[in-house]
Structures are given as C-alpha cells and as structure tokens.
Amino acid sequence: MCGRYLFSDGKNPTLLKIKKYYQEKLSLDVFNQISFEEVFPSQKTVVFLMDNENKLHPSIMKWGLTLNKKQVINLRDENKIAMKYKPCIIIASGYYEWQKNTKEKHFFTTNSGMICLAGCYNDDNEFAIITEEANSELSKIHSRTPFTLSKDDFKDYFKRDIVYSNQYKIIDKTN
C-alpha cells in the first residue's frame, strides 16, 4: 500500500519540467501549496488526465478521495470501487513502503527513475492510488503495492480496457 511517494527526486528531467511549468504559471502563494517532492496524504500535487486526443495533461488535485465520509488514499483494484471514479495517472520518482515487522522505510522506483501509478479521482479533484496484491518479491516488504503502468498502457487504462500491472519492473532502491 502506498502511504507516501516522491513526486520528484530532483534528477528526472520530465518531472523537473512539470515543476518548472507550474512555477512559471502559478503565483508563488499557490505554487507553494503544491507538493513537488515527498507527497503525503491530504497534500495537493500533480496528477495526469488524458484528453480526447490521447494527450496527457497535468492537473492539481488533493491526495485522499472522500468515500463514505472518510479520506481514502488507496483503493484495491480487485474491489472494483475505483471503476466508479475517473482514471488518472500519478507520475513520480518512486514510492515508499514500510517493512511489515521492522517498520524500515523502503523506496521503490524503476531503472529509469520514474514510475507511473494508476489512480482515480472524483469531481472534487481528490484522487486515490489504486493498489493490488504485491508479487512474491515485493510482498517481502508489504502485501499491497501500487498498480503501476507502462507508457504503452496509458491509452488503454483511460479507456478502461484491461491493463496488466508493470510491478515486475519495480526495484527497491533503499540501500
């Protein structure tokens, strides 16, 4: 389950470009309300939506979707609750998980230093990250993991076609 993630580690040129775009577009006061580094639940950050021409566009939303009067940061893919909401993609440098027994913090990413997480959002611009059962390697740390996408899956994900998680490409960069 994803309880925090790193929007930008300051190295990925794509994520730095997004940050610069908002820095130039927004007032300093509004810009400072958005988390562009480590993102915690209830903070505002950037997620991506797809338009009718299959182009991704950034949008600012709050992490934590209101469901039955509770803030929910993760939704289980297998429960199909996420299908009631609109799809979005969270692009990040990686995400954090805490080891079940030791509470040691682990950082997960890909070789490219950028990971794409499946998400969903409501009309109030609140989003949640979709999770699934972790594979055998990742389950040593935690039983749940974010549902990850490759760039090739974006169009199908937004059309709600079946997409398979890309979690086998995730690596633990803790040490």
Side-chain angles (χ1 to χ4, degrees):
M1 212 161 75
C2 184
R4 274 192 252 164
Y5 67 93
L6 184 62
F7 177 81
S8 176
D9 61 4
K11 299 174 189 168
N12 187 293
T14 302
L15 298 172
L16 289 172
K17 193 178 194 181
I18 294 163
K19 183 178 179 179
K20 186 173 189 227
Y21 167 82
Y22 277 109
Q23 201 167 14
E24 293 170 354
K25 183 178 176 185
L26 302 173
S27 70
L28 183 60
D29 190 44
V30 174
F31 177 80
N32 286 335
Q33 295 175 27
I34 302 167
S35 181
F36 287 101
E37 293 168 8
E38 190 169 350
V39 182
F40 293 77
S42 80
Q43 289 184 322
K44 289 182 181 178
T45 192
V46 179
V47 301
F48 291 83
L49 313 177
M50 189 171 276
D51 66 17
N52 294 335
E53 297 173 1
N54 298 320
K55 292 183 181 172
L56 288 180
H57 294 280
S59 182
I60 299 168
M61 294 192 191
K62 184 182 89 156
W63 186 15
L65 192 138
T66 304
L67 181 65
N68 299 325
K69 299 181 182 177
K70 292 182 181 176
Q71 287 295 111
V72 177
I73 61 170
N74 297 311
L75 286 173
R76 291 174 178 249
D77 178 55
E78 53 273 26
N79 290 352
K80 304 298 180 204
I81 295 171
M83 294 299 281
K84 296 177 183 177
Y85 299 97
K86 296 172 256 186
C88 66
I89 294 174
I90 300 96
I91 298 176
S93 291
Y95 67 92
Y96 298 99
E97 290 292 358
W98 284 259
Q99 184 114 19
K100 290 178 263 187
N101 302 328
T102 65
K103 303 294 182 195
E104 179 186 355
K105 184 176 170 181
H106 290 260
F107 180 68
F108 293 95
T109 188
T110 61
N111 284 327
S112 70
M114 189 166 82
I115 194 165
C116 303
L117 310 175
C120 60
Y121 72 100
N122 63 19
D123 291 332
D124 295 324
N125 287 330
E126 301 170 326
F127 75 95
I129 294 171
I130 299 172
T131 65
E132 64 181 340
E133 277 190 47
N135 64 30
S136 60
E137 191 62 32
L138 296 175
S139 68
K140 294 173 186 170
I141 307 299
H142 199 286
S143 62
R144 307 288 305 165
T145 189
F147 194 104
T148 57
L149 302 165
S150 71
K151 287 183 182 181
D152 296 336
D153 293 329
F154 288 179
K155 199 182 330 179
D156 289 337
Y157 176 68
F158 279 97
K159 287 193 301 185
R160 302 294 181 130
D161 286 345
I162 294 174
V163 177
Y164 296 97
S165 176
N166 206 21
Q167 68 173 278
Y168 63 90
K169 292 186 177 182
I170 297 171
I171 52 177
D172 186 348
K173 288 278 198 155
T174 302
N175 299 323

